[in-house]
Amino acid sequence: SLQVFDDEGKDVTPHPLFHSDPDAAVPRQAKLLASSDCSGATGSGFLSFPMHQTGGDEQKKSRLLTSHNLSDVQVRPEEIKEQLTEEDLDRRVDIYLTETETIWMLDMPSVVASVESEDAGRILERNKIYVDICKNRPGNDRFAEKMMQTINGAAKNKEVQCDKIVMEDKGVVVTSWDLYDSFNVSEIEPASKGEATNGKSSTSHTTKKHDETASVTSARGNITSVTTLESAALARTHKKEKNRLEAILTSEKFQQDLFFMERVLMENIFQPKLAAYRQFPVLIDPSVTSDNAGTVVAVKEAKQEEHDKGKKDKEEQKEALIDPSIMSDLNKPVEETVPPSLEQLWSYTCDLTKGLNVSSMAWNKVNPDLLAVGYGAFDFKEQKKGLACCWSLKNPMWPERIFQCEHGVTALDFSMASPNLLAVGMYNGTITIYNVRSCTTTAILNSRDSSESHTGPVWQLKWLQQDGNTAEDDKRERLISVSADGRLTKWLVQKELDCTDLMKIKRAGSEKKNLPREKERKSLVLISRQAAGMCFDFHPKDTNFYLVGTEEGLIHKCSCSYDQQFLETYKGHKGPVYKVAWNPFSTDMFLSCSADWSIKLWHQNSQTPILTFSSTTTVVHDIMWSPKSVFIFAAVNESRVEIWDLSVSILDPVITHSGNPEAKFTSVLFAKNTDCLLVGDSRGEVSVFELQNLAASSSTKV
Amino acid sequence: AEVDETLKRIQAHKGVIATMIINAEGIPIRTTLDNSTTVQYAGLLCQLTTKARSTVRDIDPQNDLTFLRIRSKKHEVMVAPDKEYLLVVIQNPCE
């Protein structure tokens, strides 16, 4: 009943190939189909079916049937197994049962005719014939078995091959810093300046640490200028590599690393000396490997390094932690009275300073490891270019800062209020101020620009915090200088150096008739009315008073508030007074040293010296009271360093140390935080001596 | 330049056996030792530095390695590490 029409409406229904004989075939086929309908659609159903239906050659028939049926019947697709989860089992499932559409395979409706119709007789006859045929069928020759085969398409094998799927095993060990880094990667990204800044940001903590510990106004400043490499040392053909190499070598971080490396090297070389300086018990580096010793040394070194990196305050505490079982021979058991002595630890010297004369030394007020040394000749004939260097304890072989000066340096001092300022006085009378924090070696201020600069060598400089002057509202620090032109000047350090004269040292007039030598002097030098000032010292308790030592050999006590006349004059020395120093503890006494080979102790109320120390026949260049004891002072003359202890003997120094015969000692400085003495000499060396076994009375009362 | 000067000074110091600068890939850029020893040191020290840095940062990711010193019987190896390079100095500190 299916009809097919093409576009033009023509009936192109394909004619059936098989014209079945309805009478013969229908019942058989109907029965076949009926049974196929009720059987299951599985293969087994097909196979089982022929067995009860037809006799004869069942095999062949079954094949016929199956092939026939299979071509008509759709194969029910394989059921895809559904994955059932736990929940699915409990889930309420709704099942709908519907009747599927009936598929008509073959529809041959039976024809029904009425008994009374014309055809009835014929139909009845035909039905009877059919029944007879069915009865006669088995064994009848008229029925022949015939086989049919459908065309099976030729099977073709087709192969498909895909590319080999490469498998890779990859493992990652995630560390906590990895997580941290990837989390923070967006913050580090904007550092577009390359590794320098990158390195800086990642090491910001360490640099900060250095900044903090190197004190607020560190003299050991971080190197901030980027130097350019003049030429790549290695011949590299690839420019890119060359650039990278340059980038590395010029990076700030590299400079810093070099800087630290040098310090570490120094520490290794000088470790026992530095330890002695710091008054740690010195440990012998074990060449014998006993583990205990090794660890203690490592601990000690770690402490030293940690200490060097800046935790200065904890030295004393750390000292207590060191294992006392490992001590060196230097600390002998002190039953025997060992005479006090000076032991040289090391000396600050380098190629630059060889041959120069050390004229002055000063400690930094805030950082007790930083030393400023001025190099310049004392004599007029020997004037060369001068040098001022800042040395650090951490590198005794190369100064941290080098300032070249046109003239010999004769005095220098660090400021207290801004500890990075270093004032340098020179042979030609100029005073320059350097900022030691920066790497540049140009001065900040120069008194050359001031109209009232000194005209003679500046022999001493000191920064002073003046207090009690209500006239001036500011308690700022002033720089005081004394020079050979006879002026004691107070400088104001602002944008420019501005100065006011505190005192003009007048020559002592005709009062001084007694000493013939003085007269000689007077007659020789009448060029100026003023006497050359060589040194000064402000009273430790009251900064209104100060002492001035002159080239004539007189010491004057003056007051800041009265600059016309001296309060007192102390006569006694027969040669220029090179240094005066108030005793820091017993503040009525002061000491003076002079070119007349003597050191004199004075009381401020008496015009004649109380004690005179003449132990040598050479010029005494420098003296200094010990910061720890009221009785001890150090004196340096051209051939020896002497330590005097007034509680022990007033006739002889307690320690004398002769140096190299070629070298003349020229300046002395006590170390503030340790028992060491620094002595400068005419070869440009500043030697550090440790005071040993000095029966140190740290008493501060006379 | 200042860098060159400082490098020269370090090399001239008492007891310094060798100075090396090694880039991030382990290739020595500058060295005062012979090539084979330098390459050996470079490879080994790179690994050790990485390990040391990893250790330090594992404990506290905000921390970082700044300096590494290895003290042995004969000498001391000092390494200043960085992302781009390694600065290595070998010193015999006794003499």
Side-chain angles (χ1 to χ4, degrees):
Chain A
S1 57
L2 190 69
Q3 287 189 312
V4 178
F5 295 99
D6 69 357
D7 297 352
E8 288 147 331
K10 275 197 274 184
D11 186 357
V12 286
T13 322
H15 298 292
L17 287 170
F18 177 59
H19 298 279
S20 57
D21 189 5
D23 295 336
V26 160
R28 198 171 79 178
Q29 276 184 359
K31 279 191 190 148
L32 286 170
L33 283 170
S35 55
S36 85
D37 269 348
C38 66
S39 73
T42 58
S44 56
F46 282 123
L47 289 169
S48 56
F49 140 73
M51 290 210 298
H52 50 163
Q53 179 67 356
T54 54
D57 198 310
E58 287 168 358
Q59 287 279 31
K60 294 183 189 167
K61 273 209 190 91
S62 66
R63 243 179 281 142
L64 163 72
L65 286 167
T66 48
S67 58
H68 181 67
N69 278 331
L70 276 172
S71 56
D72 280 350
V73 175
Q74 299 164 25
V75 177
R76 188 186 294 194
E78 277 280 328
E79 274 190 342
I80 299 170
K81 268 219 137 171
E82 210 182 79
Q83 295 283 52
L84 292 175
T85 60
E86 279 284 325
E87 313 160 352
D88 289 343
L89 293 173
D90 296 335
R91 195 169 39 143
R92 171 182 275 234
V93 180
D94 297 327
I95 301 179
Y96 301 96
L97 299 171
T98 51
E99 193 185 319
T100 53
E101 192 189 300
T102 314
I103 303 171
W104 292 101
M105 302 288 179
L106 182 65
D107 190 11
M108 292 174 100
S110 48
V111 179
V112 177
S114 154
V115 181
E116 290 162 10
S117 70
E118 303 164 5
D119 295 333
R122 233 185 326 124
I123 293 175
L124 282 168
E125 224 178 285
R126 283 217 324 254
N127 284 349
K128 212 168 67 171
I129 295 170
Y130 182 69
V131 172
D132 287 336
I133 292 176
C134 283
K135 269 196 234 154
N136 295 333
R137 195 174 154 264
N140 201 330
D141 285 333
R142 284 174 73 194
F143 293 93
E145 293 278 327
K146 207 169 192 178
M147 296 235 297
M148 262 189 44
Q149 193 172 29
T150 54
I151 301 171
N152 281 337
K156 189 173 180 181
N157 271 344
K158 198 159 189 178
E159 279 183 12
V160 173
Q161 193 172 32
C162 66
D163 282 333
K164 181 177 177 196
I165 299 170
V166 177
M167 306 259 272
E168 247 187 58
D169 273 335
K170 204 147 189 150
V172 173
V173 177
V174 176
T175 52
S176 44
W177 53 266
D178 212 352
L179 294 170
Y180 181 83
D181 275 347
S182 20
F183 185 69
N184 287 340
V185 80
S186 54
E187 296 169 22
I188 304 182
E189 272 304 86
S192 54
K193 278 225 162 189
E195 288 313 311
T197 19
N198 228 352
K200 223 180 180 184
S201 65
S202 62
T203 57
S204 61
H205 291 275
T206 46
T207 51
K208 234 194 281 172
K209 192 167 78 154
H210 291 302
D211 276 335
E212 283 163 11
T213 57
S215 84
V216 177
T217 54
S218 160
R220 225 183 311 134
N222 282 331
I223 303 173
T224 49
S225 61
V226 178
T227 60
T228 55
L229 208 57
E230 290 156 15
S231 59
L234 302 169
R236 294 256 180 208
T237 50
H238 304 279
K239 201 173 178 207
K240 194 171 137 199
E241 281 185 48
K242 192 175 177 184
N243 284 341
R244 263 180 59 191
L245 166 67
E246 279 184 35
I248 293 177
L249 289 176
T250 58
S251 70
E252 239 173 82
K253 179 87 189 343
F254 188 69
Q255 286 180 14
Q256 241 181 40
D257 279 343
L258 277 178
F259 183 64
F260 293 143
M261 185 67 81
E262 201 178 356
R263 286 210 171 164
V264 172
L265 281 177
M266 287 304 159
E267 187 208 315
N268 272 337
I269 298 172
F270 287 100
Q271 196 260 348
K273 314 287 188 182
L274 291 175
Y277 184 84
R278 292 277 185 223
Q279 309 193 302
F280 287 145
V282 178
L283 301 170
I284 308 175
D285 190 15
S287 45
V288 179
T289 53
S290 93
D291 286 346
N292 198 14
T295 48
V296 176
V297 169
V299 162
K300 173 73 178 60
E301 286 203 329
K303 283 185 190 152
Q304 187 74 22
E305 161 129 273
E306 195 191 351
H307 153 79
D308 281 347
K309 295 269 186 233
K311 301 189 174 70
K312 296 177 196 83
D313 303 333
K314 301 187 188 154
E315 295 159 26
E316 288 79 29
Q317 297 162 19
K318 279 184 194 152
E319 212 181 313
L321 293 173
I322 294 175
D323 187 358
S325 65
I326 304 187
M327 298 266 224
S328 84
D329 305 345
L330 284 174
N331 295 353
K332 302 183 200 107
V334 201
E335 277 104 27
E336 12 173 317
T337 47
V338 184
S341 60
L342 283 182
E343 162 158 340
Q344 177 167 16
L345 294 178
W346 73 85
S347 58
Y348 288 114
T349 178
C350 71
D351 290 334
L352 278 183
T353 64
K354 270 202 167 57
L356 298 175
N357 179 41
V358 173
S359 62
S360 51
M361 303 187 285
W363 288 110
N364 185 308
K365 303 289 187 285
V366 170
N367 180 354
D369 289 339
L370 193 68
L371 178 71
V373 181
Y375 300 88
F378 288 144
D379 285 344
F380 181 71
K381 287 176 275 192
E382 294 171 10
Q383 285 303 310
K384 298 175 222 174
K385 285 215 173 223
L387 197 65
C389 293
C390 289
W391 293 87
S392 160
L393 187 69
K394 297 182 188 171
N395 191 343
M397 289 180 69
W398 189 259
E400 302 293 313
R401 298 280 185 270
I402 302 171
F403 302 111
Q404 300 273 3
C405 309
E406 291 156 14
H407 303 270
V409 172
T410 47
L412 43 69
D413 198 19
F414 268 109
S415 159
M416 249 180 301
S418 6
N420 57 323
L421 294 181
L422 175 67
V424 176
M426 288 189 260
Y427 199 83
N428 70 340
T430 39
I431 298 172
T432 44
I433 302 203
Y434 292 95
N435 180 359
V436 297
R437 222 194 238 167
S438 72
C439 256
T440 58
T441 54
T442 53
I444 302 179
L445 290 171
N446 198 322
S447 79
R448 251 198 322 248
D449 311 321
S450 154
S451 52
E452 296 183 49
S453 149
H454 284 297
T455 50
V458 177
W459 288 115
Q460 187 156 0
L461 277 179
K462 208 172 213 156
W463 291 87
L464 195 71
Q465 201 95 37
Q466 286 222 289
D467 45 16
N469 271 349
T470 49
E472 299 146 52
D473 46 341
D474 44 316
K475 274 198 190 175
R476 267 202 308 248
E477 219 187 1
R478 306 270 187 262
L479 178 63
I480 318 278
S481 67
V482 75
S483 117
D485 62 359
R487 282 160 54 207
L488 193 81
T489 326
K490 177 164 72 170
W491 299 82
L492 258 168
V493 181
Q494 284 166 328
K495 295 260 173 176
E496 303 170 338
L497 278 179
D498 204 22
C499 70
T500 53
D501 277 348
L502 277 182
M503 171 64 69
K504 286 192 172 49
I505 307 168
K506 297 192 197 86
R507 286 201 177 275
S510 43
E511 318 156 18
K512 297 169 65 264
K513 293 174 204 145
N514 33 3
L515 297 161
R517 281 207 200 114
E518 290 302 322
K519 258 207 212 142
E520 268 176 58
R521 221 164 237 287
K522 207 171 112 179
S523 59
L524 278 170
V525 197
L526 281 170
I527 300 172
S528 69
R529 267 187 0 185
Q530 288 159 340
M534 300 291 301
C535 54
F536 66 93
D537 196 15
F538 276 77
H539 196 273
K541 295 268 168 64
D542 182 3
T543 53
N544 221 357
F545 295 101
Y546 57 91
L547 293 169
V548 178
T550 64
E551 210 175 8
E552 308 172 296
L554 302 173
I555 304 173
H556 304 290
K557 182 165 88 168
C558 320
S559 160
C560 289
S561 37
Y562 189 53
D563 62 350
Q564 296 303 316
Q565 267 193 6
F566 312 126
L567 295 175
E568 285 245 24
T569 306
Y570 303 94
K571 299 165 202 166
H573 277 297
K574 306 183 185 83
V577 178
Y578 283 142
K579 197 81 187 284
V580 278
W582 287 102
N583 188 318
F585 303 109
S586 161
T587 54
D588 285 333
M589 316 283 279
F590 63 90
L591 203 64
S592 65
C593 79
S594 137
D596 67 355
W597 307 343
S598 71
I599 306 168
K600 295 193 195 286
L601 179 69
W602 310 74
H603 190 282
Q604 66 168 342
N605 296 333
S606 142
Q607 290 212 343
T608 52
I610 297 184
L611 283 176
T612 305
F613 311 101
S614 27
S615 58
T616 128
T617 54
T618 49
V619 174
V620 184
H621 277 291
D622 202 358
I623 47 167
M624 184 168 174
W625 285 103
S626 157
K628 296 215 176 114
S629 161
V630 66
F631 294 115
I632 298 179
F633 66 89
V636 116
N637 55 53
E638 287 190 351
S639 53
R640 298 197 302 207
V641 178
E642 296 173 349
I643 310 278
W644 293 77
D645 187 344
L646 295 175
S647 61
V648 170
S649 156
I650 57 173
L651 294 174
D652 283 318
V654 169
I655 309 175
T656 58
H657 177 88
S658 301
N660 207 313
E662 297 130 23
K664 298 186 226 164
F665 293 118
T666 51
S667 46
V668 74
L669 194 65
F670 270 98
K672 278 184 240 174
N673 47 355
T674 148
D675 276 338
C676 287
L677 193 68
L678 272 76
V679 182
D681 66 14
S682 60
R683 282 181 312 168
E685 277 187 32
V686 175
S687 316
V688 180
F689 291 95
E690 190 192 357
L691 296 164
Q692 284 180 336
N693 302 318
L694 200 59
S697 47
S698 344
S699 71
T700 56
K701 299 229 162 72
V702 181
Chain B
E2 211 180 300
V3 167
D4 280 334
E5 244 186 65
T6 317
L7 256 181
K8 258 187 246 161
R9 275 209 312 274
I10 291 182
Q11 282 168 11
H13 268 316
K14 191 172 60 162
V16 170
I17 300 173
T19 310
M20 290 183 267
I21 307 176
I22 303 167
N23 78 350
E25 282 121 30
I27 302 167
I29 305 176
R30 279 206 195 165
T31 170
T32 58
L33 275 185
D34 56 288
N35 209 23
S36 53
T37 321
T38 307
V39 166
Q40 201 181 14
Y41 264 109
L44 295 169
L45 284 174
C46 269
Q47 294 174 28
L48 185 62
T49 314
T50 314
K51 188 64 174 174
R53 184 184 269 126
S54 172
T55 310
V56 168
R57 296 203 72 204
D58 255 346
I59 296 170
D60 177 9
Q62 290 182 332
N63 206 353
D64 197 9
L65 183 70
T66 51
F67 207 84
L68 185 63
R69 285 166 87 164
I70 305 162
R71 188 59 172 269
S72 74
K73 265 198 248 180
K74 294 192 187 167
H75 27 250
E76 178 162 352
V77 180
M78 292 168 276
V79 180
D82 184 73
K83 269 200 212 150
E84 286 271 295
Y85 60 85
L86 276 181
L87 173 64
V88 181
V89 173
I90 306 174
Q91 184 196 22
N92 187 350
C94 303
E95 287 71 51

